[in-house]
Amino acid sequence: MGKVILRARGIFKNYRAGNRMVSALKQMDLEIEEGLFYAVVGRSGSGKTTLLQVLSTQEEVDGGDIWLDGEAYGTISASRRALLRRKKIGVVFQEYRLMAELTVYENIVLPSLLDGREIDGEYIGKVMNLLEIEQLKDAYPHQLSGGELQRTAIARAMANRPRIIFADEPTGQLDETSAFQVMRLLRESSALFGQTVVMVTHNKQLAQYADKVLVLDEGTLVGGIGDD
Amino acid sequence: MTKRRSGKFRFLIGVDFQRRHVLKIQAIIYFLSIFLLSALNIWISNMGRLQQVQAAERYGSWQYGLIGASLEDMEFVRQNQLLQSAGEAAVYGEICQEDGFGLGGIGTMEESLGKLCGIRFMSGGFPEAKNEIALEQGLLEQLGLPYAIGAEFSFQVKSAEAGTGEQGSSSARNYILCGIFQSNSAYTQAGEYLPLALVSREAAEEISQRRQAELFFRLEEGCDVIKVKEELVAALRDRGGTEEGSWIQNAFVYGSDFKRGDSRGTMLLIDLTGYALTFCLVYTYMVREKTRTGILRSLGMGESEILLLLTGEQIFIWLAALLPGLLLSGVGTRIFLENYIRRQNLDAVFLYPGEAVSTACITASLVMLGGSLLGYLRARFKTSHRKSLIMDYKVLEQGKVTPLKGNIKEALLKRELQVRKRAYMGFFCMQILTLTAVSFSVGWIYRHYQGYKANRNAYVCDYIVESGTQGNSMWGESTPVELGLLNRIKNMEGVERVETTFWQQDVEILNEDVRNGAHYQAAEQYYGERGMGVGVALFAVEAEEEIYKKLASQINEGEWNQERLEAGQEVVLFIPLQNFSRSDARALSYIEYTQQEGYYDEEYPAWKEKEINVGDVLAIRMGNRERAVIVGGIVYDMPMAGNIRGIIAFNSYRIYCGAAVFQELTGGAGESSTCIYIEKGPLAALQAEQLENLLSESKVNWENIRGKILPQLEYHRNSMGMGLAFLGVMGILTVFVSCIFLNKETELAAYKNRLLWSLGMDFKERHLYLRWYGLCIGISALLGIAGNWAAAGLFVHSAEIQRGSFDTNLNIRGTYLLLLGAEGLILAAEVLLLCRLLAKKEKFSKNVYYFVP
């Protein structure tokens, strides 16, 4: 077993849906190894997105705790969590979430700007080249196709050289060809730059790109494929 | 870090503003809002000033003045069918000093002109007999004549042919004083053309056979005054008569339809509308911004950074819209207002654009800032913390949460404050705003109630009165009075009381040392350049204890000993031009003057030079009466300061003495601030009639007396109505918002209480916990009250000080006491209500969907 980069212990999360209480995550334990590509699969409502959100610090757990690189989410302040998100975490959304008024290039370098660091042109160029969006650098999001948008979002997530990238159904809005292209590029680039990826998907074919597959059912981790 | 942050924000804000449509629209809407709010505020504040001027009756009700007209021209104009009323005045000569220096015109005036031009007799009336003369107050003082109706005197009259340049003959003439009319009239637009000494036509024609005449008139309601004037001018020109340039106009009457208080109500409405619009705009913007801030948050921006970004963005847009908005509103209103003024023949209400624009700017900014703040808070805290907290309780009750183990009360409170911090902050801000507004309204109503109450049963005599009553101080109309008359009024049946604050009369200081001192010399020069005397005023104080205390508190050397003052043993000397501050705007004129004359340098050595000490003997004189007094105390005073001294700071030196000294030196005449109160009840009319008869014997113009009180009553009534209306609006809003807040509190309370109960806390423990909760609410409320006091106090204080009222502190104290009581009750009720809600167990469970049985 490789080095564990992210660990969750006894985490649970509840939501209220109308008058009903929903337990999205139930007392879950989880370990993510560095440099691997994880796919989280499960039926709709199984808690995949919630898991991704709590792991990527976008949501807080109701109980239990999560450690990234040995730092526990529950013990640090909100601003420290934001810093963690900025420096060590990259997020890719299903609906891309690009800034409409920024160009492709500006969107990609935005995390670097927010972090106040020098833009590494060589690295950004490599990423863009790898994701085949170099020629689109001056285009605005409304001028791009779905696949191009998602590749831009992936490039943005990789811009700060994060330790771990969380992707929430990154191919959910793409046709089959584009989906596989995006998946291939995500796989290749993360492997090239040694980044850990946790991807949520309900597409079992796409999940085959992963080194390990985690299966969720009703907020509980019921098993994994590729476990040692 | 700072550098990084500023670069980042510059990028985000700059790029956003260039490329984001929503921000451009927002900037345009801000610009339009600022423009409209400022323009309307400028308009209304100008109209407000118009009303104030009207209320002061500065101009009277004439519409046109025909200046330097011949008898034939005036007669021709008088024949016009549209003339509602007209009055004529003519100058036949000039009253002069022995060296020939002219002091003012002498001539005739029709009584109808007095009414048209608002010329008011403070004492006596128009001359009826050939040897009678009525004098303008300033002229009377310049001539050094006593304030005594019926007094006989003589002075030089020169039959100067005004406007012809010819020198007439000069001769001494004897007259009996039959009336004194106020100086203000000499400064009005009409007044500068009118004679300052009035005699009968017969007496005037003895001075000269030539005259320069003026005709003032008013046309029938509803006619086209401009057209009529043009027709008259054309007709006169055809006759070879008066040129157009010799007409002056004042169609001020058109503005008289405005009522005091109306414009402020309109302004309130406009400002509330602007507030609501800004609120909606910012709220909509903030809701739309959620996606964007979500992206930024996912990319690692912290809450504070996002808040800073949004704030910076809003400030940027605000500033980008503010300057052009204000500029356009300033220019626009100037163009349109002036055009409107010209078309409607209103007074030049745009006399003080800077003041109007700054008021408008502040009002518009505050309105929009308030709207923005609330819109922002509403959008930001829209996500229900209540739901989040209910979740917590649910989880807690299921026993699944480990972090809250241990001291459950502390953990609950901590968690609740953590989750609901923003909600409490919002409530706290709302509380401050609401309490400030409510307090201000209450204070406003209180002050005007005081004014109304004071006027309700008081006959404020302009014969005697210079300033009004509590909360209703007016000044600028110093009036001569006879002590004997006042004593007779005091003894009248039905007169409840007669309140006099100050008696004032000009005297002369005889001490050479003082007169040769730097102060005195400078003051003499200063006042001399303005055509005034040296400026030494003798004051007798007949005041309430409160006023004495205030005066005594200002003493710099010696003391204020009322007993020795009243016994005539001592006086207190107020020496101006000492210790003044460069920052005091009101002293600037002195600083400018002294800079020019070389008196001023950084250390003010000349002003600090000591000329008199406590214990020195001060020799003073008025007319042929002289007296020596001992200086018991000295106040180094600042001229025209906006405090208790301000109202009496016109003169240079002021000497405070007892009534006996005052009477001895002045012979019982002086200017005063007096109010006569008549007992209320069925006999009030009879008593008023007796007073009228008494005053009539002294040739008081009873019409003026009776007329003076009514506008004051109306003003205070309107102001109270406006305050109550505002309070009503605030009340409805407060109830509305509080209902929402308390409703949410109730739901939480029910669930929380249930939880505490289920965890095994008994009533006592729960109550202990609830007390802490109540304490938190109480602290926020107390802080709100403190903020409110500061804001209301500052506002009311500055307003009162500007009014120069004696009753500032009394009123403020009364207002504060009222506020303290009211707010204490509100606070107590609030805390009790919340505690009660929290302490109830099942009562609220019926309609609470999340209740777990």
Side-chain angles (χ1 to χ4, degrees), chain B residues 255-297:
Chain B
S256 63
D257 290 339
F258 290 106
K259 300 290 180 201
R260 272 193 278 192
D262 286 358
S263 66
R264 278 170 290 189
T266 314
M267 194 186 281
L268 185 68
L269 197 67
I270 288 165
D271 289 344
L272 280 176
T273 310
Y275 181 80
L277 283 174
T278 318
F279 168 80
C280 293
L281 179 72
V282 173
Y283 175 66
T284 311
Y285 163 74
M286 286 300 297
V287 169
R288 287 186 61 162
E289 282 304 277
K290 285 205 163 178
T291 310
R292 181 164 158 265
T293 53
I295 295 172
L296 292 172
R297 195 174 286 115

Side-chain angles (χ1 to χ4, degrees), chain B residues 330-373:
Chain B
V331 172
T333 44
R334 173 169 276 277
I335 292 167
F336 287 107
L337 256 185
E338 289 200 335
N339 189 33
Y340 178 75
I341 289 160
R342 202 164 44 249
R343 275 192 291 112
Q344 298 294 321
N345 281 338
L346 294 174
D347 188 20
V349 290
F350 225 88
L351 279 174
Y352 308 101
E355 188 190 328
V357 170
S358 61
T359 308
C361 174
I362 291 167
T363 313
S365 302
L366 284 176
V367 162
M368 294 186 70
L369 191 67
S372 305
L373 188 69

Side-chain angles (χ1 to χ4, degrees), chain B residues 139-161:
Chain B
L139 182 62
L140 185 83
E141 287 176 4
Q142 261 186 317
L143 290 167
L145 301 173
Y147 289 90
I149 303 294
E152 290 185 35
F153 48 80
S154 72
F155 44 69
Q156 290 289 318
V157 176
K158 185 165 59 181
S159 61
E161 307 299 332

Side-chain angles (χ1 to χ4, degrees), chain B residues 39 173 222 332 414 435 711:
Chain B
R173 291 180 182 274
K414 191 177 168 188
L435 287 175

Side-chain angles (χ1 to χ4, degrees), chain A residues 26-201:
Chain A
K26 297 174 184 170
Q27 300 289 349
M28 185 185 290
D29 294 335
L30 180 69
E31 286 186 348
I32 302 290
E33 288 175 47
E34 189 174 17
L36 295 187
F37 195 115
Y38 285 81
V40 182
V41 295
R43 288 183 293 112
S44 293
S46 59
K48 302 188 295 293
T49 300
T50 305
L51 177 66
L52 201 77
Q53 283 174 339
V54 298
L55 292 181
S56 61
T57 74
Q58 293 178 71
E59 289 274 350
E60 287 181 52
V61 288
D62 291 335
D65 211 345
I66 301 164
W67 290 261
L68 177 64
D69 260 358
E71 207 163 1
Y73 292 180
T75 59
I76 58 176
S77 65
S79 56
R80 178 68 196 159
R81 276 202 297 276
L83 207 64
L84 205 65
R85 204 157 53 235
R86 191 188 302 174
K87 292 186 180 300
K88 293 187 177 178
I89 296 172
V91 185
V92 180
F93 298 99
Q94 183 179 359
E95 61 277 17
Y96 326 125
R97 293 197 190 175
L98 296 174
M99 302 281 260
E101 51 287 331
L102 302 184
T103 62
V104 165
Y105 179 76
E106 286 167 343
N107 262 297
I108 293 169
V109 299
L110 188 58
S112 303
L113 272 168
L114 293 179
D115 199 32
R117 63 171 68 168
E118 286 287 318
I119 296 166
D120 186 343
E122 194 184 340
Y123 171 71
I124 298 290
K126 258 189 202 172
V127 171
M128 288 177 75
N129 189 31
L130 195 66
L131 291 167
E132 299 168 8
I133 51 172
E134 203 169 19
Q135 72 286 3
L136 302 172
K137 62 186 288 192
D138 295 324
Y140 285 94
H142 69 271
Q143 298 167 320
L144 305 181
S145 68
E148 289 165 339
L149 285 169
Q150 196 56 289
R151 279 180 277 148
T152 307
I154 292 169
R156 183 181 65 184
M158 297 174 76
N160 270 2
R161 299 173 190 265
R163 299 290 310 278
I164 186 164
I165 294 172
F166 294 98
D168 186 6
E169 302 210 27
T171 57
Q173 295 194 8
L174 303 179
D175 59 59
E176 197 175 332
T177 313
S178 302
F180 277 102
Q181 185 195 21
V182 165
M183 188 51 61
R184 177 177 55 80
L185 292 171
L186 179 62
R187 183 79 179 86
E188 284 175 11
S189 54
S190 63
L192 183 68
F193 298 111
Q195 285 154 335
T196 310
V197 176
V198 178
M199 178 188 74
V200 163
T201 183

Side-chain angles (χ1 to χ4, degrees), chain B residues 562-751:
Chain B
Q562 190 64 27
E563 278 182 24
R564 289 207 290 272
L565 245 67
E566 282 174 4
Q569 295 168 352
E570 282 182 359
V571 295
V572 171
L573 183 61
F574 274 54
I575 301 178
L577 306 178
Q578 292 273 14
N579 298 341
F580 65 86
S581 158
R582 278 213 277 174
S583 64
D584 190 304
R586 294 180 190 239
L588 282 178
S589 59
Y590 290 87
I591 292 174
E592 280 170 15
Y593 162 72
T594 50
Q595 276 174 330
Q596 284 167 13
E597 299 302 317
Y599 283 102
Y600 170 84
D601 61 29
E602 281 296 319
E603 300 300 323
Y604 319 111
W607 304 119
K608 288 182 177 173
E609 188 179 310
K610 214 161 179 55
E611 292 152 8
I612 195 160
N613 293 301
V614 171
D616 286 355
V617 175
L618 194 65
I620 45 180
R621 177 170 67 194
M622 184 190 172
N624 55 2
R625 302 184 188 96
E626 287 183 13
R627 198 183 200 281
V629 288
I630 296 169
V631 177
I634 297 175
V635 178
Y636 297 116
D637 195 17
M638 190 162 66
M640 303 297 287
N643 54 22
I644 188 170
R645 306 167 196 170
I647 201 163
I648 47 171
F650 280 123
N651 293 74
S652 176
Y653 277 59
R654 296 187 293 288
I655 305 164
Y656 278 72
C657 65
V661 173
F662 187 86
Q663 186 147 10
E664 185 187 323
L665 269 167
T666 64
E671 300 167 19
S672 78
S673 314
T674 306
C675 279
I676 303 169
Y677 292 82
I678 293 179
E679 288 168 3
K680 282 185 289 184
L683 291 177
L686 186 62
Q687 289 146 2
E689 196 180 328
Q690 288 173 352
L691 181 65
E692 181 178 7
N693 291 335
L694 179 62
L695 296 174
S696 295
E697 287 171 24
S698 303
K699 290 201 168 189
V700 171
N701 186 339
W702 181 245
E703 286 302 315
N704 282 343
I705 297 166
R706 201 156 38 195
K708 183 152 177 168
I709 187 117
L710 296 175
Q712 289 295 334
L713 283 174
E714 191 187 359
Y715 168 64
H716 289 301
R717 260 202 307 263
N718 285 345
S719 298
M720 279 194 290
M722 194 176 72
L724 284 168
F726 183 75
L727 202 60
V729 171
M730 284 308 301
I732 291 166
L733 281 174
T734 309
V735 167
F736 180 69
V737 176
S738 297
C739 277
I740 296 171
F741 191 84
L742 285 177
N743 183 41
K744 294 186 175 186
E745 288 295 310
T746 307
E747 288 182 36
L748 271 176
Y751 201 92

